[in-house]
Amino acid sequence: MILSIFVGAGLWLATRDHSEPQALVANPTPQPSDTGWQAVVPPPPTPSAPAPEGRSTPAPSPPDGRSTPAPSAPATVGRSTPAPSAPATEDGATPAPSVPDGRSTAGPSSQAKEASTDGARVKVTVPPSVGPSARARASQLSVKQVYRIHGDYQRGLSAAQAALNHGAMGKLEHGLALEMTRASFKTARLEGTSVASGIWPNPQVWVPRHVEGSPDWFVAVSYDPGVARITDVMSSTPAGWRLVASAADTRATPARFPKIATDSDGYATSLPENAPGLLATPRQIARAHLASMENAELDPAFADGPWTSETVTFWQQERAQLEEAGWTLRLSYLPEGPVRALRTSDGGALVWYAARSTDARKAQRVGAKVTLKGSAAVRTENRSFTHSVSATYGRMYVAHVPPAGSAEPVRVLGEWSDVLESHGD
């Protein structure tokens, strides 16, 4: 979803809604406006849900209402957009983008190619089973082509945002990403609002080597200091290049971003879903994270943060409050699409994965009402419900998985979420 937000001295910026879900809870007593509660019968005091303030990307909640601050605005705003620095690596150095054709480009800076991780240089040993093999060959893409593909996508997206052009998105995105963006357009139309448009400045790209039998893909990372760090994944499809995944960290100081490993030719290394040599395989990490969210239980393998511990705490509070009001809460996080991974310089991996989540609430006794918020509320005409209500979201994540034997936890580094539908009675 693309939302408009007011930033600084009268500047409107645009971005996808990579925000966290907001409280959709039943509440018998009046509460602050960020909870979305409807007064009916007073329950005992309960913890309040995390407040959706600032860019800290607070706790879980359906993805609307807390928009991710934004990419640089269109030139018409009358403010030149300073070029952001590249995403910070583990030690604050600038990660080097892939340069598969061995030539310098007009793209982002590729300085600090030898950047260390956590202050020490790390020698990466890639297991033969997951490294470039005899079946791998040089990608058909040059860096110049990759920047053009991503640039065309950004310009097309900006135009589609401005016009809420549902059809145009089919030429830009694919799968769940397409469904999420189209859903956000539908919400805007129902709400009678427009969406701002803009282009993220100075992306950096990493291009994995081509592997026979697998689609080509690449990663583009944009970082606008004080606004957000965005990671886009684009893949070749039978219909052409499409965005298939994205995630954002909108905190004022984003989490450390690991250096993506590149070989002597500047290529990144893609890993299969069952790649060995990590704390767990990429597929296992994705399933473990989603299970933690679904069960609202902490998983010690994951570092604390807005998309792990804070989400779990939120759902625990939400369930407790609903139970006090005579309602139940059922959560489901179903994996959606492939799990993609790139080798990092510490021997670990960056992993992208997605899910379709549903939070369903059902009344067990007469009493409290549930009022939704944000896009979910728009989809249900801002009504309150006495029997049941549910909201379904598309969610995309990126996480850093340490190598096997590491004492470091898995760190979830960003999310994109958007409401797909909501129903109630």
Side-chain angles (χ1 to χ4, degrees), residues 35-97:
T35 63
W37 290 27
Q38 179 74 31
V40 180
V41 279
T46 53
S48 60
E53 274 304 308
R55 299 191 179 94
S56 58
T57 316
S61 42
D64 350 73
R66 262 171 265 172
S67 62
T68 296
S72 23
T76 53
V77 254
R79 181 186 80 122
S80 60
T81 304
S85 58
T89 57
E90 302 280 354
D91 62 348
T94 301

Short mmCIF file of all heavy atoms in Angstrom, two decimals, residues 35-97:
data_model
loop_
_atom_site.label_atom_id
_atom_site.label_comp_id
_atom_site.label_asym_id
_atom_site.label_seq_id
_atom_site.Cartn_x
_atom_site.Cartn_y
_atom_site.Cartn_z
N THR A 35 -6.02 2.15 19.88
CA THR A 35 -6.41 0.77 20.10
C THR A 35 -7.58 0.34 19.25
O THR A 35 -7.76 -0.83 18.97
CB THR A 35 -6.82 0.54 21.57
OG1 THR A 35 -7.96 1.36 21.86
CG2 THR A 35 -5.70 0.89 22.50
N GLY A 36 -8.45 1.27 18.84
CA GLY A 36 -9.57 0.92 18.01
C GLY A 36 -10.67 0.22 18.77
O GLY A 36 -11.43 -0.57 18.21
N TRP A 37 -10.79 0.46 20.05
CA TRP A 37 -11.77 -0.23 20.87
C TRP A 37 -13.11 0.50 20.87
O TRP A 37 -13.19 1.70 20.68
CB TRP A 37 -11.30 -0.32 22.31
CG TRP A 37 -10.16 -1.25 22.49
CD1 TRP A 37 -9.22 -1.60 21.57
CD2 TRP A 37 -9.83 -1.95 23.67
NE1 TRP A 37 -8.33 -2.46 22.11
CE2 TRP A 37 -8.67 -2.70 23.40
CE3 TRP A 37 -10.39 -2.02 24.94
CZ2 TRP A 37 -8.08 -3.51 24.35
CZ3 TRP A 37 -9.80 -2.82 25.88
CH2 TRP A 37 -8.64 -3.57 25.58
N GLN A 38 -14.19 -0.26 21.17
CA GLN A 38 -15.53 0.30 21.28
C GLN A 38 -16.06 0.01 22.69
O GLN A 38 -16.00 -1.12 23.15
CB GLN A 38 -16.45 -0.36 20.24
CG GLN A 38 -17.88 0.13 20.27
CD GLN A 38 -17.99 1.52 19.70
OE1 GLN A 38 -17.23 1.88 18.82
NE2 GLN A 38 -18.93 2.29 20.20
N ALA A 39 -16.55 1.05 23.37
CA ALA A 39 -17.00 0.87 24.75
C ALA A 39 -18.31 0.10 24.82
O ALA A 39 -19.25 0.37 24.11
CB ALA A 39 -17.18 2.23 25.42
N VAL A 40 -18.37 -0.89 25.75
CA VAL A 40 -19.62 -1.59 26.02
C VAL A 40 -19.70 -2.00 27.48
O VAL A 40 -20.56 -1.53 28.21
CB VAL A 40 -19.77 -2.86 25.13
CG1 VAL A 40 -21.09 -3.53 25.46
CG2 VAL A 40 -19.77 -2.47 23.66
N VAL A 41 -18.82 -2.90 27.96
CA VAL A 41 -18.83 -3.30 29.36
C VAL A 41 -17.44 -3.20 29.93
O VAL A 41 -16.49 -3.57 29.27
CB VAL A 41 -19.34 -4.76 29.54
CG1 VAL A 41 -20.82 -4.84 29.50
CG2 VAL A 41 -18.68 -5.65 28.54
N PRO A 42 -17.27 -2.69 31.13
CA PRO A 42 -15.92 -2.49 31.65
C PRO A 42 -15.23 -3.77 32.07
O PRO A 42 -15.77 -4.52 32.85
CB PRO A 42 -16.15 -1.58 32.86
CG PRO A 42 -17.55 -1.80 33.24
CD PRO A 42 -18.29 -2.26 32.04
N PRO A 43 -14.03 -4.05 31.55
CA PRO A 43 -13.25 -5.21 31.98
C PRO A 43 -12.20 -4.77 32.97
O PRO A 43 -12.01 -3.59 33.18
CB PRO A 43 -12.58 -5.65 30.68
CG PRO A 43 -12.31 -4.35 30.02
CD PRO A 43 -13.41 -3.40 30.44
N PRO A 44 -11.50 -5.72 33.59
CA PRO A 44 -10.39 -5.34 34.47
C PRO A 44 -9.31 -4.66 33.64
O PRO A 44 -9.23 -4.87 32.44
CB PRO A 44 -9.88 -6.69 35.00
CG PRO A 44 -10.91 -7.70 34.61
CD PRO A 44 -11.70 -7.11 33.49
N PRO A 45 -8.46 -3.84 34.28
CA PRO A 45 -7.39 -3.17 33.54
C PRO A 45 -6.50 -4.21 32.86
O PRO A 45 -6.18 -5.22 33.44
CB PRO A 45 -6.62 -2.41 34.62
CG PRO A 45 -7.57 -2.33 35.76
CD PRO A 45 -8.46 -3.52 35.67
N THR A 46 -6.10 -3.92 31.63
CA THR A 46 -5.20 -4.80 30.89
C THR A 46 -4.12 -3.97 30.22
O THR A 46 -4.29 -2.78 30.01
CB THR A 46 -5.97 -5.57 29.80
OG1 THR A 46 -6.67 -4.64 29.00
CG2 THR A 46 -6.93 -6.57 30.41
N PRO A 47 -3.00 -4.60 29.88
CA PRO A 47 -1.91 -3.84 29.25
C PRO A 47 -2.39 -3.25 27.93
O PRO A 47 -3.15 -3.87 27.20
CB PRO A 47 -0.83 -4.90 29.01
CG PRO A 47 -1.24 -6.08 29.83
CD PRO A 47 -2.71 -6.00 30.03
N SER A 48 -1.92 -2.09 27.64
CA SER A 48 -2.29 -1.46 26.37
C SER A 48 -1.36 -1.95 25.28
O SER A 48 -0.24 -2.35 25.53
CB SER A 48 -2.18 0.06 26.47
OG SER A 48 -0.87 0.42 26.80
N ALA A 49 -1.87 -1.93 24.06
CA ALA A 49 -1.06 -2.35 22.92
C ALA A 49 0.01 -1.31 22.65
O ALA A 49 -0.15 -0.15 22.99
CB ALA A 49 -1.95 -2.49 21.69
N PRO A 50 1.13 -1.73 22.06
CA PRO A 50 2.21 -0.77 21.76
C PRO A 50 1.67 0.38 20.92
O PRO A 50 0.90 0.18 20.00
CB PRO A 50 3.21 -1.62 20.97
CG PRO A 50 2.89 -3.03 21.37
CD PRO A 50 1.42 -3.06 21.65
N ALA A 51 2.10 1.57 21.26
CA ALA A 51 1.60 2.75 20.55
C ALA A 51 2.28 2.90 19.21
O ALA A 51 3.48 2.84 19.12
CB ALA A 51 1.84 3.99 21.40
N PRO A 52 1.49 3.09 18.14
CA PRO A 52 2.08 3.25 16.81
C PRO A 52 2.67 4.61 16.59
O PRO A 52 2.16 5.39 15.82
CB PRO A 52 0.89 2.99 15.89
CG PRO A 52 -0.28 3.46 16.70
CD PRO A 52 0.06 3.18 18.13
N GLU A 53 3.75 4.91 17.26
CA GLU A 53 4.34 6.24 17.15
C GLU A 53 5.61 6.24 16.34
O GLU A 53 6.38 5.31 16.35
CB GLU A 53 4.69 6.76 18.55
CG GLU A 53 3.56 7.45 19.29
CD GLU A 53 2.97 8.60 18.53
OE1 GLU A 53 3.71 9.47 18.09
OE2 GLU A 53 1.76 8.60 18.33
N GLY A 54 5.83 7.31 15.66
CA GLY A 54 7.11 7.55 15.00
C GLY A 54 7.46 6.52 13.95
O GLY A 54 6.62 5.86 13.39
N ARG A 55 8.77 6.35 13.73
CA ARG A 55 9.25 5.42 12.72
C ARG A 55 9.82 4.18 13.36
O ARG A 55 10.60 3.48 12.78
CB ARG A 55 10.31 6.09 11.84
CG ARG A 55 9.79 7.28 11.09
CD ARG A 55 10.79 7.72 10.05
NE ARG A 55 10.29 8.86 9.31
CZ ARG A 55 10.56 10.10 9.63
NH1 ARG A 55 11.32 10.38 10.67
NH2 ARG A 55 10.07 11.10 8.91
N SER A 56 9.49 3.92 14.62
CA SER A 56 10.10 2.80 15.29
C SER A 56 9.45 1.48 14.93
O SER A 56 9.81 0.46 15.44
CB SER A 56 10.02 3.00 16.81
OG SER A 56 8.68 3.13 17.21
N THR A 57 8.47 1.49 14.05
CA THR A 57 7.75 0.31 13.66
C THR A 57 7.38 -0.51 14.86
O THR A 57 7.99 -1.52 15.13
CB THR A 57 8.58 -0.56 12.70
OG1 THR A 57 9.18 0.29 11.75
CG2 THR A 57 7.71 -1.56 11.99
N PRO A 58 6.37 -0.07 15.62
CA PRO A 58 6.00 -0.73 16.84
C PRO A 58 5.50 -2.13 16.63
O PRO A 58 5.73 -2.74 15.63
CB PRO A 58 4.94 0.16 17.41
CG PRO A 58 4.54 1.04 16.32
CD PRO A 58 5.60 1.03 15.30
N ALA A 59 4.77 -2.64 17.59
CA ALA A 59 4.41 -4.02 17.64
C ALA A 59 3.48 -4.44 16.54
O ALA A 59 3.17 -3.72 15.66
CB ALA A 59 3.74 -4.28 18.95
N PRO A 60 3.01 -5.67 16.57
CA PRO A 60 2.26 -6.26 15.51
C PRO A 60 0.95 -5.60 15.38
O PRO A 60 0.47 -5.03 16.28
CB PRO A 60 2.02 -7.65 15.98
CG PRO A 60 1.95 -7.50 17.41
CD PRO A 60 2.87 -6.43 17.75
N SER A 61 0.35 -5.78 14.39
CA SER A 61 -0.99 -5.36 14.23
C SER A 61 -1.21 -5.31 12.77
O SER A 61 -0.32 -5.19 12.03
CB SER A 61 -1.27 -4.02 14.84
OG SER A 61 -0.32 -3.12 14.61
N PRO A 62 -2.43 -5.41 12.36
CA PRO A 62 -2.66 -5.39 10.95
C PRO A 62 -2.01 -4.20 10.36
O PRO A 62 -1.88 -3.19 10.99
CB PRO A 62 -4.17 -5.34 10.87
CG PRO A 62 -4.58 -6.02 12.12
CD PRO A 62 -3.51 -5.83 13.10
N PRO A 63 -1.47 -4.32 9.18
CA PRO A 63 -0.58 -3.38 8.55
C PRO A 63 -1.03 -2.02 8.21
O PRO A 63 -0.34 -1.36 7.55
CB PRO A 63 -0.21 -4.07 7.28
CG PRO A 63 -1.28 -5.03 7.06
CD PRO A 63 -1.89 -5.33 8.34
N ASP A 64 -2.18 -1.56 8.56
CA ASP A 64 -2.47 -0.22 8.14
C ASP A 64 -2.35 0.76 9.26
O ASP A 64 -2.29 0.44 10.37
CB ASP A 64 -3.89 -0.08 7.61
CG ASP A 64 -4.50 -1.39 7.44
OD1 ASP A 64 -4.83 -2.00 8.44
OD2 ASP A 64 -4.65 -1.79 6.31
N GLY A 65 -2.44 2.01 8.89
CA GLY A 65 -2.46 3.04 9.88
C GLY A 65 -1.11 3.45 10.34
O GLY A 65 -0.97 4.45 10.98
N ARG A 66 -0.09 2.69 10.10
CA ARG A 66 1.25 3.11 10.48
C ARG A 66 2.11 3.04 9.26
O ARG A 66 2.80 2.09 9.01
CB ARG A 66 1.81 2.18 11.53
CG ARG A 66 1.65 2.74 12.89
CD ARG A 66 2.01 1.73 13.89
NE ARG A 66 0.85 1.06 14.33
CZ ARG A 66 0.89 0.02 15.09
NH1 ARG A 66 2.00 -0.47 15.48
NH2 ARG A 66 -0.20 -0.54 15.49
N SER A 67 2.05 4.02 8.43
CA SER A 67 2.75 3.97 7.16
C SER A 67 4.24 4.11 7.34
O SER A 67 4.71 4.76 8.25
CB SER A 67 2.25 5.08 6.24
OG SER A 67 2.51 6.31 6.82
N THR A 68 4.95 3.44 6.46
CA THR A 68 6.39 3.58 6.43
C THR A 68 6.76 4.92 5.85
O THR A 68 6.30 5.28 4.80
CB THR A 68 6.97 2.50 5.52
OG1 THR A 68 6.66 1.25 6.08
CG2 THR A 68 8.45 2.65 5.38
N PRO A 69 7.62 5.69 6.48
CA PRO A 69 8.04 6.92 5.87
C PRO A 69 8.65 6.58 4.53
O PRO A 69 8.81 5.44 4.22
CB PRO A 69 9.06 7.45 6.83
CG PRO A 69 8.80 6.74 8.07
CD PRO A 69 8.19 5.44 7.71
N ALA A 70 9.04 7.46 3.79
CA ALA A 70 8.99 7.31 2.40
C ALA A 70 10.19 7.53 1.56
O ALA A 70 11.18 8.04 1.99
CB ALA A 70 7.99 8.31 1.96
N PRO A 71 10.03 7.13 0.27
CA PRO A 71 11.10 7.38 -0.66
C PRO A 71 11.13 8.84 -1.02
O PRO A 71 10.26 9.58 -0.66
CB PRO A 71 10.69 6.55 -1.86
CG PRO A 71 9.22 6.53 -1.78
CD PRO A 71 8.88 6.60 -0.34
N SER A 72 12.13 9.23 -1.78
CA SER A 72 12.16 10.62 -2.16
C SER A 72 10.93 10.96 -2.95
O SER A 72 10.43 10.16 -3.69
CB SER A 72 13.38 10.91 -2.99
OG SER A 72 13.85 9.80 -3.59
N ALA A 73 10.46 12.17 -2.74
CA ALA A 73 9.23 12.58 -3.39
C ALA A 73 9.48 12.99 -4.82
O ALA A 73 10.60 13.21 -5.23
CB ALA A 73 8.65 13.75 -2.60
N PRO A 74 8.40 13.09 -5.61
CA PRO A 74 8.56 13.51 -7.00
C PRO A 74 9.19 14.90 -7.08
O PRO A 74 9.08 15.68 -6.15
CB PRO A 74 7.11 13.53 -7.51
CG PRO A 74 6.33 12.75 -6.51
CD PRO A 74 7.07 12.81 -5.24
N ALA A 75 9.77 15.22 -8.19
CA ALA A 75 10.45 16.50 -8.34
C ALA A 75 9.51 17.67 -8.16
O ALA A 75 9.92 18.75 -7.81
CB ALA A 75 11.10 16.57 -9.72
N THR A 76 8.21 17.44 -8.36
CA THR A 76 7.25 18.53 -8.29
C THR A 76 7.09 19.10 -6.89
O THR A 76 6.52 20.15 -6.70
CB THR A 76 5.88 18.07 -8.77
OG1 THR A 76 5.51 16.88 -8.05
CG2 THR A 76 5.90 17.75 -10.25
N VAL A 77 7.57 18.37 -5.88
CA VAL A 77 7.43 18.93 -4.54
C VAL A 77 8.32 20.13 -4.30
O VAL A 77 8.14 20.82 -3.32
CB VAL A 77 7.78 17.89 -3.47
CG1 VAL A 77 6.57 17.40 -2.80
CG2 VAL A 77 8.68 16.84 -3.93
N GLY A 78 9.25 20.33 -5.16
CA GLY A 78 10.08 21.51 -5.01
C GLY A 78 11.21 21.36 -4.04
O GLY A 78 11.71 22.32 -3.49
N ARG A 79 11.61 20.13 -3.74
CA ARG A 79 12.75 19.94 -2.86
C ARG A 79 13.64 18.90 -3.49
O ARG A 79 13.20 17.84 -3.88
CB ARG A 79 12.31 19.43 -1.50
CG ARG A 79 13.49 19.26 -0.55
CD ARG A 79 13.05 18.62 0.75
NE ARG A 79 12.91 17.19 0.60
CZ ARG A 79 13.58 16.30 1.33
NH1 ARG A 79 14.38 16.72 2.29
NH2 ARG A 79 13.43 15.03 1.15
N SER A 80 14.92 19.22 -3.60
CA SER A 80 15.84 18.23 -4.15
C SER A 80 16.05 17.16 -3.09
O SER A 80 16.14 17.45 -1.92
CB SER A 80 17.17 18.87 -4.51
OG SER A 80 17.76 19.45 -3.38
N THR A 81 16.11 15.91 -3.53
CA THR A 81 16.28 14.81 -2.59
C THR A 81 17.74 14.45 -2.49
O THR A 81 18.36 14.04 -3.45
CB THR A 81 15.51 13.58 -3.08
OG1 THR A 81 14.15 13.95 -3.25
CG2 THR A 81 15.61 12.45 -2.09
N PRO A 82 18.33 14.61 -1.30
CA PRO A 82 19.74 14.25 -1.16
C PRO A 82 19.91 12.75 -1.35
O PRO A 82 19.08 11.98 -0.95
CB PRO A 82 20.06 14.66 0.28
CG PRO A 82 18.75 14.67 0.97
CD PRO A 82 17.74 15.04 -0.06
N ALA A 83 21.00 12.38 -1.98
CA ALA A 83 21.25 10.96 -2.18
C ALA A 83 21.59 10.31 -0.85
O ALA A 83 22.48 10.76 -0.14
CB ALA A 83 22.43 10.78 -3.14
N PRO A 84 20.86 9.24 -0.49
CA PRO A 84 21.14 8.62 0.80
C PRO A 84 22.42 7.82 0.73
O PRO A 84 22.86 7.39 -0.32
CB PRO A 84 19.94 7.68 0.98
CG PRO A 84 19.56 7.33 -0.41
CD PRO A 84 19.84 8.56 -1.22
N SER A 85 23.00 7.62 1.89
CA SER A 85 24.17 6.76 1.94
C SER A 85 23.69 5.34 1.79
O SER A 85 22.55 5.03 1.98
CB SER A 85 24.88 6.94 3.28
OG SER A 85 24.00 6.65 4.34
N ALA A 86 24.65 4.46 1.45
CA ALA A 86 24.27 3.07 1.27
C ALA A 86 23.91 2.44 2.60
O ALA A 86 24.29 2.94 3.65
CB ALA A 86 25.44 2.31 0.65
N PRO A 87 23.17 1.31 2.58
CA PRO A 87 22.79 0.66 3.82
C PRO A 87 24.00 0.32 4.66
O PRO A 87 25.01 -0.15 4.16
CB PRO A 87 22.09 -0.62 3.33
CG PRO A 87 21.70 -0.31 1.91
CD PRO A 87 22.72 0.64 1.40
N ALA A 88 23.89 0.55 5.95
CA ALA A 88 25.00 0.28 6.86
C ALA A 88 25.18 -1.22 7.02
O ALA A 88 24.23 -1.95 7.19
CB ALA A 88 24.73 0.91 8.21
N THR A 89 26.42 -1.66 6.98
CA THR A 89 26.71 -3.06 7.21
C THR A 89 26.90 -3.27 8.69
O THR A 89 26.73 -2.39 9.51
CB THR A 89 27.99 -3.47 6.46
OG1 THR A 89 29.04 -2.63 6.90
CG2 THR A 89 27.82 -3.34 4.97
N GLU A 90 27.31 -4.49 9.05
CA GLU A 90 27.48 -4.84 10.46
C GLU A 90 28.41 -3.86 11.17
O GLU A 90 28.25 -3.58 12.33
CB GLU A 90 28.06 -6.25 10.57
CG GLU A 90 27.20 -7.32 9.92
CD GLU A 90 26.05 -7.72 10.81
OE1 GLU A 90 26.01 -7.25 11.94
OE2 GLU A 90 25.21 -8.50 10.37
N ASP A 91 29.42 -3.38 10.46
CA ASP A 91 30.37 -2.49 11.12
C ASP A 91 30.22 -1.07 10.62
O ASP A 91 31.09 -0.24 10.82
CB ASP A 91 31.81 -2.98 10.90
CG ASP A 91 32.17 -2.98 9.42
OD1 ASP A 91 31.25 -2.82 8.59
OD2 ASP A 91 33.36 -3.10 9.12
N GLY A 92 29.12 -0.78 9.98
CA GLY A 92 28.86 0.57 9.53
C GLY A 92 29.43 0.88 8.16
O GLY A 92 29.25 1.97 7.64
N ALA A 93 30.12 -0.08 7.53
CA ALA A 93 30.68 0.17 6.20
C ALA A 93 29.60 0.06 5.15
O ALA A 93 28.55 -0.48 5.38
CB ALA A 93 31.80 -0.85 5.92
N THR A 94 29.89 0.57 3.97
CA THR A 94 28.94 0.52 2.87
C THR A 94 29.08 -0.78 2.12
O THR A 94 30.16 -1.11 1.64
CB THR A 94 29.19 1.69 1.91
OG1 THR A 94 29.05 2.91 2.61
CG2 THR A 94 28.19 1.64 0.75
N PRO A 95 27.99 -1.57 2.00
CA PRO A 95 28.12 -2.83 1.28
C PRO A 95 28.35 -2.59 -0.20
O PRO A 95 27.82 -1.65 -0.77
CB PRO A 95 26.77 -3.51 1.52
CG PRO A 95 25.84 -2.38 1.80
CD PRO A 95 26.66 -1.32 2.46
N ALA A 96 29.15 -3.44 -0.82
CA ALA A 96 29.44 -3.28 -2.25
C ALA A 96 28.40 -4.00 -3.08
O ALA A 96 28.13 -5.15 -2.86
CB ALA A 96 30.81 -3.87 -2.54
N PRO A 97 27.81 -3.30 -4.05
CA PRO A 97 26.83 -3.97 -4.91
C PRO A 97 27.53 -4.90 -5.88
O PRO A 97 28.71 -4.80 -6.11
CB PRO A 97 26.16 -2.81 -5.64
CG PRO A 97 27.23 -1.76 -5.68
CD PRO A 97 28.00 -1.91 -4.40
#
